[in-house]
Amino acid sequence: MSDNSNHGSLELEVRRIDLLYKQNIAGMLAIFFNTIAFATVAWGSLSPIFITIWFSVLNLSALARFFAYYRWNRSRNSIRSFEETRPWLYFMFTSLFISGCGWGAIGLISHTGSLQQQVLTALLVSCMVAGALVTYVSSRLAMACVIVPAMFLWGLGTFISRAEFSMLMGTLIILYSGLLVLIGKNLNLAVMKSLSLDVLRKERDLHEAANRAKSVFLANASHEIRTPLSAILGFSEALLRSDSLSEQNRHDVQAIHRQSNYMVSLVNDLLDLSKIETNRLYIQKAPMSPIREIDESLSVIRPVAAEKKVQLEVKYLSLVPESIMADSVRFRQVLINLLTNAVKFTSEGSVEVLVNFTSDIHHQGTLNITVTDTGLGMDKLTQQNLFQPFVRGEHPDVQRVQGSGLGLALSLSLMKMMGGDLRLVSSVLGQGSSFEMSMKLGNSQELRLMKPEHPKMIFQEKIKIAKEAEFLKGRRVLVVDDSVDLRVLMKRFLSRSGAEVETAENGAQAVEYALNQPFDVILMDIKMPVMDGYKATSVLREKGYRHPIVALTAQASVDGQQKSFELGFDGYLSKPVDMNLLSEILRRSETVS
């Protein structure tokens, strides 16, 4: 029997299998590129025979699923009984189990390799397991065939490595495999419910329903992912402030912190793409200074460029509008992505930003920003599929650089939504690339043009928090969060800064505490049992509470930020919490109060 006995009808079962095979195509590209990446890094430290066999088995199993997909397309319309669907399912389950064992195999032996190999293995296994949740959403057993062997073997390898904290880390990995299976079960139920409701509809409607279900899952999963990530980042930052760490342990914790930050970025990109697919991402237009946004974007990237000794400069080729109507957050998001890619793929040389404003004979103004680097460049094949999600170049140097292949696809969609465009101007393998983002600004006669000042060569550095700094000394802070770990983490940080800290696990407790003993500032989680943060803040404001309340939420979005301010919050922080930004907000609230 299939892993969903209550499938309802043969048509639903056929559509379920069809979704399983079609979604699998996207995973094949990830398998190919990820196996190349691992083989490149591990070639010198693992047996060439093992790597060759491992690479061949994974890619041959993926190739077999690819050919099976075409046979399925020819056969699906002729299926007349449930028994005829069984071989297609059994083949997929067997092939995916082989794939799951393949990823688990490198996890099992990861502790025998270099630190770079261990970090890459962790990233690859995590990405392939996370991808299985979405790719094989129509079958719980298909998800389990990848997740269980991959995570179990990885956890077992970590468990037997005899490294520091190996038993703890190995146990956590195995426990998380169970959590992922549970998440997959809930996601599968949501998708199957959607499919059962649309079984008189066309195939296009089926895929739209699946996309909606995935978007709901991503929105909910983002909260569940961000909460533990907050704890991981927070405790790793706390460890990095310690003087007792050995050099090796500090290096390991830095790797954990770095990879966690990358996962945060990946989650944000996935959520934005999901919102775009379901028309739930909105552009918030307001007056914006393009010069200031360009300058601030450059300040974000300059520390990275300086560390790599890559020269970063901006040149204004014309007068530039003093103010335009645009979404400053999304404008900066696209520009920072282009700058990040340019610096990331440039080992030596420079990155140049050219800014030019033009107006045609109909007085329609256009702002063009070109980012040119002297980095790796791309071949023709990579250029053809450049703006497709998860597509990255096949060059070994490209595969060594961390990235998901989502940035350009997301940036292009954002530019289209803002009435602009993003294009590859030119790229030569080994010589660099040039991208141009352009925005239509309407009637140029209504714009006030100005000569840009010499760009400020500033670095956007994180606020340095001294270990003995007690800027909250004598201040009373209430931390409201349903996560025990986050309450402990926040209390530790705030206490070290001199604050008197009380904690509450839900909004109802927060209201009771705050009305009986007012605090200088309340740090309020949003999604909580009993009473959520929105309701708690509304109740406090209705009862006359006027002290600052800062929202802490795992469901980060522009809409959420706006809603928070409308309901009486004074500040807004998304999880994982940036302790430096939290410090800045608390300093401001100290001044206000």
Side-chain angles (χ1 to χ4, degrees), residues 424-436:
L424 174 66
V425 178
S426 64
S427 184
V428 178
L429 192 62
Q431 298 182 26
S433 303
S434 181
F435 288 86
E436 179 188 73

Side-chain angles (χ1 to χ4, degrees), residues 217-233:
F217 163 73
L218 286 173
N220 292 331
S222 71
H223 182 275
E224 303 305 322
I225 292 173
R226 287 174 186 274
T227 297
L229 276 178
S230 297
I232 293 172
L233 282 170

